[in-house]
Every structure is written in structure tokens, then in C-alpha cells.
Amino acid sequence: MRSFAFLQGLDRDLQENLLKQLRDLWTHTSTALEGNTLTLGETKFVIEEGLTVSGKPIKDHQEVIGHAKAIEILYNLLDKPVTEQDLFDLHKAVQTEIVSDIYKPHGAWKVEPNGTYAVNKEGKQTFIEYAFPSDVPSLMNQWLITINQYNSENLSLDTVIEAYAKIHMGFVHVHPFWDGNGRIARLLANLPLLKSGHAPMVIDSTNRKEYIEVLAEYQLEIGTLDKNTDLWPDESLLKPFIDFCKTSYQTTLDLIANAKKQQKKRDAKK
């Protein structure tokens, strides 16, 4: 079991249970943001027991198992620089529904343009065009350089949450894969947190509307990225997402506080 700063002072079983809680909540919230119907309790059951929940789609079971596997892959990345192949491996883990379609590659960059509709500040429908396939390798090289720079430093909590927001936003703005980008972004953006000894960020699915809106607002302001642009042309526009992330991190802090409260009760009885 890895030794993170946020686990210090806890008995071994409390450390293990806190890591499991974080794994299950992280998996549940990230997949639920994408429409997964399993509850937190069902997610825990599927991961720990390897059994199915009656009436729930097989796809939903595969997604949570794949995400839990991806978390283990992520922990293994703490000991090395992140590479392009690591991103492909994570894509294979989270993208459990393998489609036999050359236009939907499994563990490789997208080959077709992608985008999404959004509603802007004026209440009008508009289209967010993500980076074109030909621009993805150059943009993701920028992204890899940046995340590895963050991973080489021991960052304070406030600074590392800002890093989380920047890494997350950069990834989803490029949208380098045909599917699974959100889940992978929410995994990888946690590397700087974990490298600095902090617990991972989880974004509650109940905040899905605000989350989608703050991402879209930034992407509409910046516009489509290409290989001739900086990946983050105006970092001042990241502030609303940074603020959202700082608020979201309270869920993680609450889990840690509960574990420490349990430890305090134990210590009082010794």
C-alpha cells in the first residue's frame, strides 16, 4: 500500500478503508457524470464482489470495473513520467466497450473530428469544435510536458488544485479520443495531487450541470485549438473552473476528516 501524506496518523485498516472509499466514490462520480446508472453502493458491490446488479446494464458494470482498473494504472504512473502510451493504456481501461470500427480506435488518438453542442451566456445554442485529429499529437505533447512538470514538484494544496484544473481543462479541450475523454481527464488530472501526497479530487455527479457549463464557457471563450496555438492561450479564463474544483475538493476533505475522527476515537480508548 502506498504511503500518502493524507494517510499519515491513521491505523493501517483505516488507511486501507479510506483508499477504498476514495476509489469507489471516484469511480461512481466519474462514471455517473457520463450517464452510468449504478449507485455508489452498487459500484462498491460490483468492484469488490465482481458480481452484477439485477436490472442494470452490463455496460454500466464494465465501466465501473474499467475505471477501478484505471485507478490502479494511475497509481503505477506515480513512479515515472507520463507517456503517450500511458494515455493509450488508460483509454483501453476505461473504454470497456470495444467497437470494431476503424473510426473509433481503441487505445489510439481519434481519427475523426468531434465536438458538442452547448448553450452560451446569451442562451443561444452553439457548437464547440474540439481539436482536429491532425493537431492532436502536437497539442498532447504540450499537455504531457506540462503534467510531467507538475509531477516533478511538491505542490501545496491550493497550487495543486489549480494544476488539476489546468490539466483537466487542457485535456478535455483537445478531446484527443473518440470517447472516454472526461473519465480519463478526471483520472490524469489527479496525478499532481497524488504525487504531492494529497488525496484525489472527485467531482460529484449532482454538480454535473455546473461542471459542464464551466467547461463549455471556457472552451467557447478560447475557441478551437490547433497545433499553432498554445494549449492554454489565456489562463486567466481558468479561474471559474479552479473555483469550482476548490469547492468540489471538500468532498475529499470530508472523507479524510471522518477517518481521522475514527482514529481519534480509537486513540482515546488506548
Side-chain angles (χ1 to χ4, degrees), residues 123-147:
K124 294 181 179 180
Q125 289 179 312
T126 188
F127 191 73
I128 296 174
E129 184 79 72
Y130 298 127
F132 280 80
S134 59
D135 295 317
V136 167
S138 174
L139 289 165
M140 291 309 296
N141 184 58
Q142 285 188 54
W143 185 92
L144 284 166
I145 290 171
T146 302
I147 192 170

Side-chain angles (χ1 to χ4, degrees), residues 142-155 159-168 188-189 191-196 232 235 238 242:
Q142 285 188 54
W143 185 92
L144 284 166
I145 290 171
T146 302
I147 192 170
N148 284 321
Q149 286 175 339
Y150 280 130
N151 288 345
S152 67
E153 302 173 26
N154 188 25
L155 304 173
T159 301
V160 83
I161 289 177
E162 292 175 7
Y164 174 97
K166 180 176 176 178
I167 291 297
H168 183 303
L188 288 163
L191 273 176
L193 279 146
L194 295 167
K195 288 281 283 189
S196 293
W232 299 274
E235 293 192 25
L238 286 168
I242 291 170

Side-chain angles (χ1 to χ4, degrees), residues 62 66-67 69-70 73 85-98 105-108 177 179-180 183-184:
Q62 292 171 331
H67 192 280
K69 177 184 176 183
I73 294 173
Q85 185 58 52
D86 294 324
L87 305 189
F88 294 162
D89 290 343
L90 277 171
H91 187 250
K92 290 176 184 177
V94 304
Q95 199 60 40
T96 51
E97 185 181 7
I98 302 175
H106 191 239
F177 297 110
D179 195 18
R183 281 167 287 166
I184 297 172

Side-chain angles (χ1 to χ4, degrees), residues 35-168:
N36 193 291
T37 63
L38 293 176
T39 65
L40 176 57
E42 289 169 343
T43 297
K44 176 181 183 297
F45 176 77
V46 170
I47 293 173
E48 293 190 348
E49 304 298 331
L51 300 174
T52 58
V53 177
S54 178
K56 293 298 177 79
I58 293 297
K59 177 182 73 68
D60 289 4
H61 294 76
Q62 292 171 331
E63 283 179 355
V64 300
I65 291 171
H67 192 280
K69 177 184 176 183
I71 291 175
E72 292 304 314
I73 294 173
L74 196 74
Y75 284 146
N76 290 331
L77 297 183
L78 294 173
D79 301 320
K80 61 185 284 295
V82 184
T83 67
E84 185 179 88
Q85 185 58 52
D86 294 324
L87 305 189
F88 294 162
D89 290 343
L90 277 171
H91 187 250
K92 290 176 184 177
V94 304
Q95 199 60 40
T96 51
E97 185 181 7
I98 302 175
V99 181
S100 298
D101 186 339
I102 61 171
Y103 297 108
K104 296 179 178 180
H106 191 239
W109 300 138
K110 65 187 177 185
V111 295
E112 287 192 312
N114 55 358
T116 187
Y117 280 103
V119 178
N120 63 21
K121 292 178 180 179
E122 290 73 40
K124 294 181 179 180
Q125 289 179 312
T126 188
F127 191 73
I128 296 174
E129 184 79 72
Y130 298 127
F132 280 80
S134 59
D135 295 317
V136 167
S138 174
L139 289 165
M140 291 309 296
N141 184 58
Q142 285 188 54
W143 185 92
L144 284 166
I145 290 171
T146 302
I147 192 170
N148 284 321
Q149 286 175 339
Y150 280 130
N151 288 345
S152 67
E153 302 173 26
N154 188 25
L155 304 173
S156 68
L157 185 56
D158 280 344
T159 301
V160 83
I161 289 177
E162 292 175 7
Y164 174 97
K166 180 176 176 178
I167 291 297
H168 183 303

